[in-house]
Every structure is written in C-alpha cells, then in structure tokens.
Amino acid sequence: MKVISATSELEVAVSFFKELGLTVGLVPTMGALHNGHASLVKKCVAENDVCIVSVFVNPTQFNNANDLATYPRTLEADCKLLESLGANIAFAPTVDQIYPYPDTRQFDFTPLDKVMEGPMRPGHFNGVAQVVSRLFDITKPNRAYFGEKDFQQLAIIREMCRKYGYNDLEIVGCPIVREESGLALSSRNARLSDSQKKTAVGISKALFDSKNIKNSKNVAETKQWVVDTINAIDGMEVEYYEIVDGNTLQPISDWKETSYPVGCITVYLGDVRLIDNIKY
C-alpha cells in the first residue's frame, strides 16, 4: 500500500489507473479507523480494481472548535489497518492540499439539510459537501462508500451527486457495524471511558426496544418513549430524536405516511456527541 499526501501525486496515479481501464473505489474517512470503516474498505476492495481510502479530518465541517481539536487522530495505526485490509492507497493530505485556497462554495440541499443535524450544526453539511466533492474530483472514483450510521449525511451526498454533476458515480451505503453490546461503532467512542461505553449501550437498546412497541404506540408516543428512556440514564441527554421518511428525511406524524420510517438520534454522553439510527 502506498501512502500519498500530495494531491498532484494522487491525480497522476488515478490517471494511470484510468488509462489502464481499472475501476477505482473511494472510502472517505476522517481516520481513527474501526471495524465499521474496515467493513467499507473490505467492500471497496472486493468491488473495485483499486481501493483508495482518504484519511483527513476536514476542518470545514466542524462548527465546534473543541470538537475539531479533540477529534482522534491515529494515522500510523490507520495505515497499518488499511494495508492489512488490502487498500492500495491511503490518501492522507494536509489541509492546504485539500484547500489550496479558501473554499467559499455554498451548497443547497433543501430540505434535506434543514432538519436534524442541519439546525444543530450550522454549516456542517456544506463542509461535508466541500470536502467530499474535492475528494471526488481528485480521485474520480467509479464507486464511493459511506456508512449508514451517518444516515442524513449519506442522503445529502446522494443528493449532491444528483444535483452537482456526479451522476456517473455510484454511492454505496453500508450497514451500521455494532459492538456485541449493540453500541454503534464510531471514532468518537475512543473518547469514552469504559464505564461510559457501558452507559452508551442504552442508546441502541432504546432504539431496538422501540421497534417492539411501535405497533402499540403512535409516532409521537414512540419518540417520547425513546427520549424519556435515554434521558433517564445517568449521564446521557438526548439532543434530538426524529422519526423521518428515510428518503426525504422529513419528520412523519403517522406511521402510514411512509413505507420507510427511520429513527435518527443524537445523544450527549458527557461532552461526547453520539449518533445512531434505526429502521422501523
């Protein structure tokens, strides 16, 4: 596996692959890789001739300076894992390689970015679109792989491709990977103590349990039950829980409104912000 930090070097490599008629797969990450990322990389390796994994903590998608500063960075360990998984290139650029000049582009994903994470993290999805589009332009992939844990992000990236000219690129959504306890894998889990990780299991447990009570409760009652159940656990506070149409991301008020209801949640455990979702 080759580790590349210069955009120009990667572009030359991609041109060579394309001249040979090879398919290129991209797995965009912010590093601190775990088994969730590994599942994406394995799928990318299996489905493409060349697998490129980017490792870049993108500053433009953080609206909280402390969150950016404390985001875990483990490049050496990440590269060892990627090599063991069969990735061909780890792209680990500096900020000035991705943004040689300030990126002032503004993207519009209405109404997808006006709900859930949108109001809570102003500018976040615009930053995601900036970096992902840059990575697409640099690597020119045939397929790109994203985890369904970031459910809203995945929907917005699909919309970006439709709306901003990446129509030939296949976006592959991959299922959430969980620990045996049910806790969704996340790079932010590295910031949790052992006792906090045990507490965090309450998030997925409440979501799974809510599937069992869905038939006896309406949407509003189900939402309130999940919020009350998690808030009753010492140390956790729900920022929001929405049950939405999985295609439009718009909140529903009746189960009959959609055949694809998805519950999306954000919870603070101490100062660590955790997200998860469940398909009803």
Side-chain angles (χ1 to χ4, degrees), residues 112 150-160 246-247 249:
L112 299 179
D150 295 290
F151 191 83
Q152 187 174 10
Q153 173 181 277
L154 176 57
I156 283 175
I157 288 168
R158 292 189 193 280
E159 178 69 3
M160 183 187 79
N247 295 309
L249 301 187

Side-chain angles (χ1 to χ4, degrees), residues 206-207 210 213 217-232 238 240-243 252 255 265 280:
L207 294 181
S210 73
I213 66 168
K217 293 184 182 293
N218 61 34
V219 172
E221 290 168 341
T222 303
K223 284 172 57 177
Q224 194 61 52
W225 183 89
V226 169
V227 171
D228 290 346
T229 298
I230 293 174
N231 282 345
V238 175
Y240 68 79
Y241 182 53
E242 292 289 352
I243 298 177
I252 62 171
W255 294 114
I265 196 163
Y280 284 104

